[in-house]
Amino acid sequence: MSEASFIAGLTLSHQILTFENTIVALTDEVEKSCYLAARTKAPRAPQLQLLEEWCLNNDLKKFRRKLRVDPDVFTSLVRKLENHPVFSNNSHNPQLPVSVQLTIFLNGVSHYGNGATTEDVTEWASVSIGTVYNCYCRVMIALLQLHDDVIHFDPMEPEDQQERDWAKQWVESRSCPEWRGGFMCVDRSPFNLFQKPGWHGEGFYDCKSHYSLSAQVVILPHNLRIVDYVIGVPGSLHNSNVFSRTCIYGHPETFLGADEWIWADSAYPSLPWCVVPFKRSSMELMPNAHKIFNQHLSKVRI
């Protein structure tokens, strides 16, 4: 055997040995990174079908508690969102129906704490975490682009006139005919922050000992439809201060007509178009007439 042949054979043997060692190393990595036994699927019990059942049984309280809107408002939102291009794609895997994506979104944003975790929503809707994230993103994109069509109130539009009449009928059914003019309500809703902000942190410390952002929401009481709001204000500001930043405070005539007003709690100013309950005096007892008024007002405003 010549020296050249010997060297060539030795080189080939070394390459084969190196290749075998590489295969063994890759085999070890595969065995360490993969499950050798089949994994059992985590049990899931989707509850989406309960929403339809609650609608059929006219159990609006449970439906509203889960999604924070009435079925007719939910249906109206679906109609406005379903033709948005964000809900269509060219993939072989079609998206979930818009109604399901909106349901997942509303369930997530209407809860906080442990009830708002992605894992909790995935178990409730029986979908993956990635699907929940995608639903959040798509619905937010569509809602922000349709903001003025979804959140508005114009007494001159026939649709809003009908909503106003329904709200007045609801108020009358909860109180008396003389009170039907109060067809809107306003209240504060805080958004608690994870921790104290590093910049002007004390300005976000609210009356409930939380660091928060304050939101003022004006709604129609019969279906909780939002018609005006202010968001992003530091939580330390008083309700009346934040309320003064709303459109309805600056231009009440664009929302309310003659003999029409909104209901509020005692933290808000008493105005010709803003009715608040009587405050308790520290010096004397509240008259029974005032107590009865406050009691009936709470049935409308809450």
Side-chain angles (χ1 to χ4, degrees):
M1 180 182 294
S2 64
E3 182 178 356
S5 300
F6 176 78
I7 294 175
L10 187 62
T11 302
L12 181 60
S13 299
H14 180 266
Q15 291 177 346
I16 293 174
L17 182 61
T18 302
F19 183 69
E20 290 177 347
N21 290 337
T22 302
I23 292 177
V24 172
L26 289 174
T27 301
D28 291 338
E29 289 297 324
V30 170
E31 290 179 351
K32 287 189 295 184
S33 61
C34 291
Y35 293 94
L36 301 180
R39 298 182 63 191
T40 57
K41 262 186 127 177
R44 288 177 177 174
Q47 302 179 38
L48 290 174
Q49 71 279 1
L50 293 178
L51 298 174
E52 184 177 358
E53 182 178 339
W54 293 335
C55 290
L56 294 176
N57 295 333
N58 201 31
D59 196 346
L60 301 183
K61 184 177 180 180
K62 291 182 179 179
F63 189 98
R64 185 182 293 179
R65 185 178 61 202
K66 204 64 182 176
L67 301 186
R68 294 297 188 267
V69 295
D70 277 352
D72 58 340
V73 176
F74 178 82
T75 303
S76 177
L77 285 174
V78 172
R79 285 199 300 265
K80 290 181 179 294
L81 297 176
E82 59 187 358
N83 294 324
H84 195 280
V86 76
F87 296 111
S88 60
N89 55 21
N90 297 322
S91 173
H92 294 294
N93 297 322
Q95 296 185 20
L96 292 172
V98 177
S99 58
V100 176
Q101 296 196 52
L102 179 61
T103 298
I104 292 173
F105 171 81
L106 291 176
N107 178 264
V109 300
S110 61
H111 295 80
Y112 64 94
N114 293 336
T117 61
T118 307
E119 289 79 5
D120 184 78
V121 178
T122 58
E123 293 178 2
W124 179 78
S126 190
V127 295
S128 65
I129 292 179
T131 299
V132 172
Y133 175 79
N134 290 335
C135 291
Y136 286 175
C137 293
R138 294 178 191 134
V139 174
M140 277 302 304
I141 290 172
L143 283 178
L144 289 175
Q145 293 184 7
L146 297 173
H147 175 277
D148 294 340
D149 292 332
V150 176
I151 300 179
H152 75 286
F153 185 80
D154 186 353
M156 303 305 294
E157 292 188 6
E159 182 179 352
D160 289 341
Q161 290 177 1
Q162 188 179 44
E163 287 283 358
R164 178 188 59 190
D165 292 339
W166 287 341
K168 288 184 175 182
Q169 292 174 15
W170 185 90
V171 171
E172 183 176 347
S173 67
R174 305 273 294 194
S175 56
C176 60
E178 289 76 11
W179 280 19
R180 71 190 319 269
F183 67 98
M184 291 185 184
C185 301
V186 62
D187 203 356
R188 171 181 179 270
S189 181
F191 292 89
N192 294 335
L193 302 176
F194 171 69
Q195 61 184 11
K196 177 182 177 181
W199 188 255
H200 299 298
E202 294 302 327
F204 296 86
Y205 195 73
D206 61 24
C207 59
K208 297 183 179 180
S209 302
H210 296 138
Y211 294 98
S212 66
L213 295 173
S214 179
Q216 293 284 335
V217 182
V218 182
I219 65 167
L220 300 177
H222 71 293
N223 60 8
L224 306 184
R225 174 185 168 185
I226 298 175
V227 298
D228 192 15
Y229 70 93
V230 170
I231 193 171
V233 181
S236 62
L237 293 183
H238 194 269
N239 285 359
S240 59
N241 186 305
V242 183
F243 181 51
S244 65
R245 303 165 187 254
T246 60
C247 292
I248 195 172
Y249 186 92
H251 305 281
E253 68 280 355
T254 61
F255 293 81
L256 305 168
D259 298 324
E260 293 179 347
W261 63 90
I262 68 175
W263 303 102
D265 61 32
S266 57
Y268 291 83
S270 178
L271 301 169
W273 50 269
C274 183
V275 177
V276 300
F278 290 100
K279 295 183 179 180
R280 186 184 302 275
S281 173
S282 59
M283 303 298 296
E284 56 185 11
L285 295 176
M286 179 180 291
N288 288 331
H290 292 185
K291 292 181 180 180
I292 295 174
F293 178 89
N294 290 352
Q295 181 181 2
H296 286 281
L297 190 151
S298 66
K299 294 180 180 179
V300 175
R301 197 187 65 82
I302 296 181

